[in-house]
Amino acid sequence: MTVPPPIVAPSILAADFARLADEVRAVEDAADWLHVDVMDNHFVPNLTIGLPVVQSLRGATTIPFDVHLMIEDPRRWAPGYADAGAYNVTFHAEACDDPVALAKDLRSAGAKAGLAIDRDTPIESYLELLPSFDTLLIMTIKAGFGGQRFIPHLLDKVRAARRHVETGHLDVRIEVDGGITADTIAQAAEAGADAFVAGTAVYGADDPAEAVRKLRARAEHAVTGA
C-alpha cells in the first residue's frame, strides 16, 4: 500500500469560539490544514458557523482551509467558500444530486473538491466518481457533533477507497473525520487514510501544536514503521 505523507487538520469545532483567532494561531506552525465544520441545523441537527465567519477568519491565518459542508443544497453555497479562499471544499454525497457537476464548479472557482460519505452511507456507488475529486472524506462517526466515539468498522470504507485509488492510480486524498485521537489515528492510517481531522485531541491538549505533531508522527509510524 502506497500512502502519501499524512495531513493533520485540527477541527475548530473543538476550539474556544470566544478566542477563535488565537486558537487558530496556536496550531499555525504545526497544522497542515484547518478543518472548518459548517452545519446548518437541517442536514445535521447542529448549527455552527457560516460563510461570513470563514471570510473573516481567512484573514487571520495562512493555514489552508479544509471546509466541510454538512448542509442542504451545497450547490447553492459551496462555491462561495471557494471564492472566500478555502483550499478544499467538501460536501456530502447525501445532499447533492449531481456531485460531479459541483466538483467542477469548485475547481473552476479555484478550490479542491471533496466528497464526504456519512456513517450509514455505503461507499461503493461513489467510488467511480473519484476521478472528479481531490479528497474523499469518510466519516468515522455520525456527522453532526464533535466528541463522538470512533467507530472502527467504518474503516472498511477506507480500505475499499484505498484499493480503488491505488488500482486506478488516482491522486485523491482519503480523509477520516470523527473520533481521531492518539489511540485511533494509527488504525485509520493502517487502513489507508492519509488525512486526519482531529478536534478534541488537539484543542483539548495543553499544547495544541505539539498534539498535532504527535498525531502526525503516529500516523507516519503506522504506515512506515519509522
Side-chain angles (χ1 to χ4, degrees):
M1 181 172 65
T2 304
V3 180
I7 280 175
V8 177
S11 171
I12 62 170
L13 188 64
D16 180 354
F17 274 46
R19 47 189 298 272
L20 187 53
D22 290 338
E23 293 276 75
V24 170
R25 294 188 188 103
V27 298
E28 194 160 36
D29 293 336
D32 300 290
W33 297 345
L34 187 71
H35 193 76
V36 182
D37 289 304
V38 177
M39 307 184 196
D40 64 358
N41 194 32
H42 294 284
F43 180 71
V44 292
N46 196 6
L47 183 65
T48 56
I49 63 176
L51 184 56
V53 175
V54 173
Q55 290 170 327
S56 178
L57 195 60
R58 180 64 283 173
T61 182
T62 60
I63 309 174
F65 280 10
D66 178 37
V67 175
H68 179 191
L69 301 178
M70 287 172 269
I71 63 173
E72 292 181 350
D73 197 11
R75 290 206 69 175
R76 177 182 178 186
W77 297 106
Y81 289 89
D83 292 339
Y87 171 77
N88 185 68
V89 180
T90 296
F91 59 91
H92 271 263
E94 303 87 358
C96 187
D97 59 2
D98 193 345
V100 171
L102 181 49
K104 289 179 180 178
D105 290 344
L106 289 169
R107 286 173 162 180
S108 294
K112 303 287 188 181
L115 184 69
I117 306 294
D118 204 357
R119 179 192 66 188
D120 300 326
T121 301
I123 197 172
E124 289 75 15
S125 62
Y126 294 103
L127 293 177
E128 296 303 323
L129 304 184
L130 291 187
S132 297
F133 288 87
D134 304 286
T135 305
L136 174 66
L137 187 154
I138 297 173
M139 297 300 302
T140 43
I141 57 171
K142 176 65 178 172
F145 290 92
Q148 298 180 59
R149 187 182 297 273
F150 179 81
I151 304 173
H153 73 80
L154 295 177
L155 293 179
D156 288 343
K157 295 182 185 181
V158 175
R159 296 182 185 98
R162 175 54 61 191
R163 288 192 297 270
H164 191 84
V165 165
E166 292 195 351
T167 300
H169 304 287
L170 303 177
D171 185 14
V172 178
R173 282 279 181 181
I174 300 176
E175 185 173 11
V176 287
D177 182 0
I180 297 299
T181 67
D183 295 327
T184 61
I185 193 168
Q187 298 175 53
E190 289 168 354
D194 55 67
F196 308 89
V197 178
T200 54
V202 172
Y203 283 112
D206 292 336
D207 185 339
E210 184 60 20
V212 171
R213 296 185 187 101
K214 288 181 177 178
L215 287 168
R216 186 185 297 108
R218 284 180 178 268
E220 289 175 345
H221 179 74
V223 175
T224 67

